Amino acid sequence: GQNIDQPTEMTATEGAIVQINCTYQTSGFNGLFWYQQHAGEAPTFLSYNVLDGLEEKGRFSSFLSRSKGYSYLLLKELQMKDSASYLCAVRDPDGGSQGNLIFGKGTKLSVKP
Amino acid sequence: DGGITQSPKYLFRKEGQNVTLSCEQNLNHDAMYWYRQDPGQGLRLIYYSQIVNDFQKGDIAEGYSVSREKKESFPLTVTSAQKNPTAFYLCASSIQPNTGELFFGEGSRLTVL
């Protein structure tokens, strides 16, 4: 089967660092994506990992371990505008999704002053 | 500016009525997708199209229909057969099927009265 797990909610303080974890169990693997979605708006692309390791992009970094079926999104120097849901999605070329992205339920992050 | 346009943003429907949601893209992308998002759930794939005049069912296609007569357009019809149509509907596109990131429209919120 296919399953993607993320924490439902997290809270952090402005200026701090937060790590949002994502674990996945899929038949195959061809990339992991992170999206940010503000309430009532469209998801926007944050990062893409297909090889093990850390990808850094400004205040945001994403890590992947394919052997562990694990990824995290790291947000540094948190700002109030980072309050949003963060969606983890995996591309599984071998499962029933015909290679389309499979999304987790999202992690709602609240940043407090 | 290139992007994906969904309309209407908000739509109210009486039970038993069909309704069509519009999705237009000027990104010259081959693949287009329709997702449904419910509170506490991940994005679920309704239908997708990899090329003009062709489309495939996703995970929750029952009660929905689509067409892809033009590369730019991928309208979704929510029929009266859909038992729980109230949801946030997101249209997306990608350069090619099963590769790269998804670009999302702003979404259409459908409420059945």
Side-chain angles (χ1 to χ4, degrees), chain A residues 16 24 29 37 39 48 55 68 72 79 85-87 90 97:
Chain A
Y24 61 90
F29 178 84
Q37 185 180 24
Y48 169 67
E55 295 281 342
K68 295 181 179 178
Y72 68 72
Q79 303 176 9
S85 288
Y86 291 86
L87 314 180
V90 173
S97 59

Side-chain angles (χ1 to χ4, degrees), chain B residues 7-75:
Chain B
S7 63
K9 193 171 177 66
Y10 299 96
L11 187 61
F12 296 88
R13 186 194 95 178
K14 293 182 180 178
E15 280 195 31
Q17 290 181 335
N18 292 355
V19 63
T20 296
L21 307 180
S22 170
C23 179
E24 303 277 331
Q25 56 103 355
N26 60 4
L27 299 168
N28 200 32
H29 286 177
D30 284 332
M32 297 187 74
Y33 313 79
W34 274 104
Y35 286 90
R36 170 180 172 141
Q37 188 173 37
D38 296 281
Q41 299 237 25
L43 298 181
R44 293 184 290 168
L45 184 64
I46 304 172
Y47 267 99
Y48 64 101
S49 169
Q50 298 182 338
I51 197 168
V52 176
N53 293 323
D54 183 58
F55 50 83
Q56 309 291 333
K57 291 182 179 180
D59 301 317
I60 55 166
E62 185 176 351
Y64 299 97
S65 66
V66 293
S67 63
R68 186 89 186 274
E69 297 176 2
K70 298 186 301 181
K71 187 175 186 178
E72 302 80 18
S73 180
F74 191 42

Side-chain angles (χ1 to χ4, degrees), chain A residues 17-29:
Chain A
I17 299 173
V18 70
Q19 177 175 309
I20 302 175
N21 296 326
C22 172
T23 58
Y24 61 90
Q25 299 89 37
T26 56
S27 304
F29 178 84

Side-chain angles (χ1 to χ4, degrees), chain A residues 2 8 30 33 35 37-45 48 85 87 91 96-106, chain B residues 9 33 35 37 40-43 45 48 50 56-59 88 90 97-107 109:
Chain A
Q2 300 169 318
T8 304
N30 192 19
F33 296 77
Y35 284 84
Q37 185 180 24
H38 287 97
E41 297 183 9
T44 55
F45 170 77
Y48 169 67
S85 288
L87 314 180
R91 192 178 302 284
S97 59
Q98 299 104 41
N100 290 304
L101 286 183
I102 309 160
F103 283 84
K105 295 181 179 180
Chain B
K9 193 171 177 66
Y33 313 79
Y35 286 90
Q37 188 173 37
Q41 299 237 25
L43 298 181
L45 184 64
Y48 64 101
Q50 298 182 338
Q56 309 291 333
K57 291 182 179 180
D59 301 317
F88 188 50
L90 286 161
N98 302 334
T99 59
E101 72 204 70
L102 295 181
F103 293 79
F104 286 89
E106 292 297 313
R109 186 168 297 280

Side-chain angles (χ1 to χ4, degrees), chain A residues 29-59:
Chain A
F29 178 84
N30 192 19
L32 186 144
F33 296 77
W34 283 97
Y35 284 84
Q36 180 190 60
Q37 185 180 24
H38 287 97
E41 297 183 9
T44 55
F45 170 77
L46 287 178
S47 68
Y48 169 67
N49 295 71
V50 67
L51 299 176
D52 292 350
L54 188 68
E55 295 281 342
E56 297 186 79
K57 190 186 294 185
R59 293 189 299 114

